[in-house]
Amino acid sequence: MSAGWIASGEPNLDEFAAATGHPVATQCALNVMAMGGNAVDAAVSAAFALFVLMPDACGLGGDTFALVSTQESTIAFNGSGRVPRNWHGDVPSEGAELASVPGAVAALQDMHSRFGNLAWAELLSPAISLARDGISVSSTLSQALSGSRVALLQRAPDWHLTRWVDNQTPIVTQPQLAETLVTLATFGARAFYEGDLAHAIIEAARSDGSLLEIDDLREHETPIELPHVTTIGDWTIESQPPVSQAALVAFALSAVEGNEKVNVPR
């Protein structure tokens, strides 16, 4: 991480706090807020850092679901994409044919465009540094890579993390990912869905059996909706509406409270 993103002193947790799946990503979020960014800025920066730090759990090719609350209202961002237009209905057990349109990048920029304070490129800077300068491979990531060694060698032999499985160096860099992040920082999220980068994504995906086409990416938009709302006693529970499974939490809470009148989303 570049020196400009290392916070001086301890963050003031009376003013803000953050929680993510990795301590470095959490620090990114805290640094953003210490620099004057808001919660959305922090979430965007941390998300892109996680794409570098935890590729076994998330990445640019995934989805993002987010509830953003202001004093006036709560808005649900559904950062999941549709299945390919040529989808035939058969569901394989693994492989690129399972892939739908990745919605994470578009959703994160839509969140930032609507609510962010700091510059988009500034928020991606920590992730770019992490990918370019290298990360320490956690025990969880190490187990995931080692357990997937055969599949990785078959499908992604040139990926830097694939080569790490045999070399196991203390630090692993991801220069191709850094280059992609620089493109997104420079040209915005649409570069992921249109242009040279989008065509490269489709070419790579289709070579592994994906049904995705360039028009699937080009036509992607983030649904922005109101949350699903359930009232339990004196509490109002807001959750992500379908297609997310978050409403199941409201159903479970209602069952615990013995609430027979559950507002089932359609």
Side-chain angles (χ1 to χ4, degrees):
M1 187 180 301
S2 61
W5 284 91
I6 299 176
S8 58
E10 292 295 323
N12 185 354
L13 298 183
D14 291 333
E15 296 181 5
F16 45 76
T20 78
H22 195 287
V24 174
T26 300
Q27 187 63 57
C28 288
L30 294 175
N31 292 349
V32 165
M33 289 186 282
M35 294 171 60
N38 59 24
V40 167
D41 292 319
V44 168
S45 189
F48 278 100
L50 288 171
F51 295 161
V52 181
L53 294 159
M54 299 179 64
D56 54 316
C58 58
L60 296 175
D63 297 333
T64 292
F65 292 92
L67 295 177
V68 179
S69 292
T70 66
Q71 292 180 339
E72 291 77 28
S73 63
T74 299
I75 297 175
F77 290 82
N78 174 2
S80 64
R82 297 178 180 273
V83 298
R85 62 186 58 215
N86 290 328
W87 178 254
H88 46 61
D90 297 328
V91 181
S93 60
E94 62 179 15
E97 196 174 345
L98 283 168
S100 57
V101 176
V105 175
L108 290 168
Q109 177 137 57
D110 288 336
M111 290 166 55
H112 175 263
S113 297
R114 192 154 182 171
F115 295 107
N117 284 339
L118 300 183
W120 169 256
E122 193 172 14
L123 301 179
L124 272 62
S125 177
I128 294 169
S129 295
L130 289 167
R132 181 180 288 152
D133 300 338
I135 62 171
S136 298
V137 177
S138 67
S139 59
T140 301
L141 178 55
S142 173
Q143 291 173 8
L145 292 171
S146 298
S148 303
R149 180 178 182 275
V150 174
L152 288 171
L153 288 172
Q154 289 176 344
R155 292 180 171 154
D158 295 328
W159 190 30
H160 281 70
L161 287 173
T162 301
R163 293 203 292 267
W164 178 89
V165 176
D166 291 328
N167 299 327
Q168 305 232 352
T169 55
I171 300 295
V172 60
T173 60
Q174 301 175 73
Q176 292 173 321
L177 178 56
E179 184 178 341
T180 297
L181 291 170
V182 168
T183 298
L184 297 179
T186 304
F187 300 105
R190 290 316 306 173
F192 194 80
Y193 300 92
E194 301 176 8
D196 293 343
L197 178 55
H199 282 278
I201 291 170
I202 293 299
E203 181 180 354
R206 290 185 69 85
S207 69
D208 197 29
S210 173
L211 298 175
L212 285 170
E213 299 179 359
I214 191 63
D215 286 342
D216 292 315
L217 294 186
R218 186 183 295 116
E219 295 172 5
H220 175 73
E221 295 181 355
T222 305
I224 301 174
E225 307 169 296
L226 295 176
H228 170 62
V229 178
T230 300
T231 301
I232 302 175
D234 295 331
W235 294 88
T236 298
I237 310 297
E238 296 179 326
S239 59
Q240 189 79 27
V243 295
S244 165
Q245 300 181 32
L248 295 176
V249 175
F251 300 162
L253 291 172
S254 295
V256 169
E257 290 294 319
N259 184 358
E260 298 180 357
K261 296 181 179 180
V262 180
N263 179 21
V264 180
R266 300 295 181 184

